Amino acid sequence: IQVGANEGRDDDPIRPYLLKYPWRGVLIEPQPEVFERLKENYAGLESRLSFENVAISSNTAPLQLYRLPPGATPSDSIVSFDPKIIAKQSGMKPQDMVAISVPTARLDDIILKHQLTKVDVLQLDTEGYDWVVLQTLDLTKSRPLLIRFEQGHLSPKAIGTMIQHLNQHDYLVYYGGYESDSLALRKDFILP
């Protein structure tokens, strides 16, 4: 499962594996126009890839996200629930961000909908929302072998709480630092 799949291009950490190996999965992207480009970029792989045009949230109400105005650079395809995060990345002002409302779902519900009996990899790239997203997954039922998450936009308190939660569910967390993603590996995957 990839949450925040964006267009499935450029520096996407999952794309090379989806193209090279017969991986099956669900790619989740909340922005309607970016979602359409994501599906185009994986055209021909629909027999093993499913796509969801939602934001992951604990609440089923629509979620307000913020993004750059159309045509802005460097990329108009990044979004966040916090306009300050996008402004910081782009060098623009928070008040210049455009709000969009998107439908939501819980990760547990996505897993049920697609009848996934096993999730090996969970990739999170949600611009400061990774901890909220992870909380919508019951780690006593779905136990990915690897969870990769972006912690650069999380507060130290959120990072600590997220790591404690993962540790309590038998994950070892390898902190990637501010500019890199972190990995949570299930203990039974790496220890005998």
Side-chain angles (χ1 to χ4, degrees), residues 55-57 60-65 81 100-104 129:
I56 300 300
S57 178
T60 57
L63 181 67
Q64 187 161 308
L65 297 177
F81 71 100
I100 61 170
S101 180
V102 296
T104 61
Y129 211 61

Side-chain angles (χ1 to χ4, degrees), residues 67-116:
R67 65 179 179 194
L68 294 171
T73 57
S75 170
D76 62 358
S77 65
I78 54 173
V79 297
S80 177
F81 71 100
D82 184 347
K84 293 179 204 157
I85 290 174
I86 303 304
K88 182 179 176 184
Q89 289 180 340
S90 66
M92 297 178 75
K93 297 177 183 173
Q95 59 267 29
D96 294 334
M97 299 304 112
V98 175
I100 61 170
S101 180
V102 296
T104 61
R106 295 178 50 84
L107 273 178
D108 284 337
D109 295 334
I110 297 287
I111 288 169
L112 283 173
K113 177 181 176 180
H114 293 278
Q115 301 176 352
L116 302 176

Side-chain angles (χ1 to χ4, degrees), residues 24 27 44-45 47 55 63 68 73 75 91 94 117 123-124 154 156 159 164 178:
R24 303 180 70 77
L27 305 180
L45 301 179
S47 64
L63 181 67
L68 294 171
T73 57
S75 170
T117 57
Q123 164 70 33
L124 305 176
L154 298 174
I159 293 170
Q164 182 180 23
Y178 180 73

Side-chain angles (χ1 to χ4, degrees), residues 6-7 34-44 46 51:
N6 205 289
E7 297 177 351
V34 175
F35 177 75
E36 291 305 318
R37 292 194 299 263
L38 173 69
K39 291 194 311 184
E40 289 171 13
N41 287 331
Y42 286 111
E46 297 86 359
F51 303 89

